[in-house]
Amino acid sequence: MKPLKIFIAFAVLLVSTACSGSTKEPQYNMEKGKALIVFFSHVGENYAVGNIEVGNTKIVVDYIQEQTGADVFEIVAEKNYDMPYSELIKVARAEKDNHELPAFKGAVDNIDRYDTVFIGGPIWWGTYPQVMFTFFKRYNLNGKKLIPFTTHEGSGLGSTVKDVKKQYPEATVTGAFSIYGHEVRTEKAKVQQWLKGLGY
């Protein structure tokens, strides 16, 4: 009987250890459901940082993905925005004034599986670039937790929070965050602190 008791005790210990190991899984998977980061980022000539190959918003997205494990969907416009900054601001202004909805490439598979969606982009004339509103028109994010974030050079969040609430009146819009574009390469800690405050 003694060997049998030893075997049972060892088996119980193994089960206990396996169960306790599950606590190492990130909390967001257990409590917040799966998260998605939707973003638009502009490469090329940007205000204050010059000509860049990786957009400011994309760098912030990489930080978020690293800390949260979220899936990522980049809104890639069919229109080419690789132009001098002085020209870009004219194009962006015209799109906003005309309420344009520029087309973008690709699609999100099964967006219903996501409970939380981070929504990121630069500030163009006080809000997100118009191509992001094309995404908003295509996908219903009502009922989800939406977390707006922006990169900017003085505009902060602009009207993005209000605009997201207008697009999705039945969503919970919370935890908004903005960071200067010229800071994103050196101030990763600011993004990490924001995410920590959200529970990630």
Side-chain angles (χ1 to χ4, degrees):
M1 291 297 291
K2 286 183 180 181
L4 180 59
K5 289 181 180 179
I6 292 171
F7 173 79
I8 292 172
F10 181 71
V12 169
L13 180 61
L14 282 178
V15 171
S16 176
T17 302
C19 291
S20 64
S22 66
T23 60
K24 294 180 181 179
E25 290 293 319
Q27 248 188 340
Y28 62 84
N29 279 337
M30 295 185 290
E31 296 181 1
K32 297 183 178 64
K34 189 63 179 175
L36 173 69
I37 309 166
V38 172
F39 77 101
F40 172 84
S41 192
H42 180 249
V43 297
E45 188 176 342
N46 278 253
Y47 184 77
V49 295
N51 208 312
I52 54 177
E53 295 183 3
V54 179
N56 297 328
T57 305
K58 173 63 166 63
I59 292 172
V60 177
V61 169
D62 289 344
Y63 297 156
I64 298 171
Q65 202 278 333
E66 179 183 324
Q67 191 158 330
T68 67
D71 290 341
V72 175
F73 178 77
E74 181 175 4
I75 299 172
V76 178
E78 292 188 359
K79 181 187 291 189
N80 183 10
Y81 292 105
D82 186 5
M83 60 187 73
Y85 182 77
S86 58
E87 184 65 24
L88 175 66
I89 60 176
K90 295 176 184 177
V91 171
R93 182 59 183 266
E95 287 184 353
K96 183 180 179 184
D97 289 347
N98 296 327
H99 306 288
E100 291 183 33
L101 294 175
F104 64 88
K105 303 173 185 178
V108 179
D109 294 328
N110 191 14
I111 200 163
D112 290 340
R113 64 179 168 163
Y114 299 104
D115 298 328
T116 299
V117 181
F118 291 84
I119 302 173
I123 294 291
W124 286 7
W125 293 106
T127 189
Y128 289 125
Q130 284 298 119
V131 69
M132 296 186 66
F133 289 86
T134 311
F135 180 94
F136 299 155
K137 293 291 184 183
R138 183 178 299 180
Y139 292 99
N140 182 5
L141 304 181
N142 280 304
K144 301 181 186 297
K145 179 184 290 185
L146 307 182
I147 305 174
F149 67 96
T150 66
T151 54
H152 67 97
E153 291 301 339
S155 302
L157 287 161
S159 64
T160 56
V161 173
K162 181 183 72 175
D163 292 340
V164 170
K165 287 180 177 179
K166 183 177 179 180
Q167 293 292 325
Y168 303 113
E170 297 176 20
T172 300
V173 182
T174 185
F177 172 77
S178 66
I179 185 170
Y180 282 98
H182 67 263
E183 289 186 333
V184 299
R185 289 161 180 80
T186 58
E187 297 291 343
K188 180 179 181 180
K190 289 186 177 182
V191 180
Q192 292 174 322
Q193 190 62 31
W194 162 58
L195 294 170
K196 185 177 179 181
L198 294 175
Y200 292 97

